[in-house]
Structures are given as C-alpha cells and as structure tokens.
Amino acid sequence: MAVRNIVKEGDEVLRKKCRPVEKFDQHLWTLLDDMAETMHQAGGVGLAAPQVGIIRRVVVIDVGEGVIELINPKIIMKAGEQISAEGCLSCPGEYGITSRPMYVTVKAQDRYGNEFTKEGKELLAKAFCHELDHLDGVIFKDIVQRMLRPEELE
Ligand code: ZN
C-alpha cells in the first residue's frame, strides 16, 4: 500500500466524467488499498479515484465504521434533507453549507465485481453524494449554498 498524491481543485482531472471499471484485478485492488490509505492519512471520510488522478468510477468511504469500497456506484434511492457543513480533501481548509439527502441507498460492485446495495444516513448519505459527484466531475463547491467564512470555522 502507498499514500498517493491528492489532486487539488483547479486540476482538470477533477472535471472529467469517469469511465466504468471493467476489470476487477490486482490493478484495481492496489488502487483501492492506496485510496483507503491516502484517505486515512489525510483524515478524510471519503475519496474518489479522480482525486488521485484516476478517471475511473471508484470510491472509498470510511465514516468510522470501516472502509466501504464502491465500484461503478449508482444512487438508487434518496430521501429527506440535511443542511450541514461540507468540505473536500481537494479543497483544503474550505467548507460550505450544502443541502444533501438524509437517506441514500447506493448500488455498486465490490472489488470482485459482485453487486451489492448499501444504505446510508446522515454523514454516510452525505459522503455517498459527495464522492459519487466526483465521478461526474462535480465538486461540492458547485452545489454549495454558501461558503463558510474563516471566522465561522472552529
Ligand atoms: Zn471531495
């Protein structure tokens, strides 16, 4: 495993529409392991492949309940609303208020290509939305209601 460099806002790789994963092989597993290590080392709760320069539909999330690996994920249900502060490892030190669904269910493949569904609420629902947006070239600042001023940050 290795920590990879996190791409920052302004790099055009963050604006690409990612391609689906077709091969569930060692190359993918190394990417997933590296992404999890990179996310943990950076203190984040999620990381999408374009954030390490890979234009593929791969996401890792860990909201404190273990690493969730999502390959070719799709949102199949969302409900409710949460208004809260949100940030991104590609936009260090910047936070904004977003509206996200309170409940989100995703359908995805695991690292072996097996399909599964996973329900999330609160932070996990927000992480699903945030990370899946990255796969379509969207960052949270595109949908933010307003950015927080420095004096509003704790
Ligand atoms: Zn992000």
Side-chain angles (χ1 to χ4, degrees):
M1 300 223 289
V3 171
R4 300 200 187 188
N5 191 43
I6 297 178
V7 171
K8 299 302 187 295
E9 186 191 12
D11 191 314
E12 71 171 25
V13 74
L14 292 177
R15 295 308 191 175
K16 305 277 191 193
K17 186 165 173 64
C18 295
R19 296 184 294 272
V21 170
E22 286 155 6
K23 288 184 189 165
F24 296 80
D25 57 7
Q26 183 63 54
H27 187 72
L28 173 67
W29 304 336
T30 300
L31 173 65
L32 285 162
D33 292 344
D34 287 357
M35 284 175 62
E37 188 172 1
T38 303
M39 168 181 68
H40 285 141
Q41 198 255 359
V45 300
L47 193 69
Q51 292 181 278
V52 291
I54 306 293
I55 309 169
R56 289 284 180 179
R57 306 190 78 81
V58 177
V59 160
V60 296
I61 290 172
D62 188 347
V63 295
E65 298 161 0
V67 176
I68 301 169
E69 299 175 342
L70 303 173
I71 320 299
N72 302 327
K74 287 188 174 65
I75 292 175
I76 57 171
M77 190 284 294
K78 45 187 168 179
E81 185 184 30
Q82 55 180 321
I83 308 280
S84 62
E86 186 166 330
C88 178
L89 292 176
S90 293
C91 310
E94 297 188 275
Y95 298 88
I97 301 296
T98 60
S99 167
R100 297 289 196 182
M102 179 61 83
Y103 300 92
V104 174
T105 302
V106 294
K107 183 176 181 181
Q109 287 166 280
D110 68 13
R111 62 167 56 205
Y112 307 106
N114 302 307
E115 280 197 344
F116 67 100
T117 61
K118 176 85 179 165
E119 295 173 23
K121 70 170 186 175
E122 296 177 336
L123 181 57
L124 183 53
K126 182 159 71 169
F128 283 157
C129 294
H130 179 114
E131 301 309 332
L132 268 64
D133 276 353
H134 274 300
L135 304 182
D136 292 317
V138 175
I139 63 173
F140 84 100
K141 290 166 87 171
D142 299 333
I143 60 106
V144 75
Q145 292 184 340
R146 69 175 182 89
M147 294 302 290
L148 292 175
R149 297 182 299 273
E151 63 268 26
E152 292 178 281
L153 304 175
E154 291 164 338

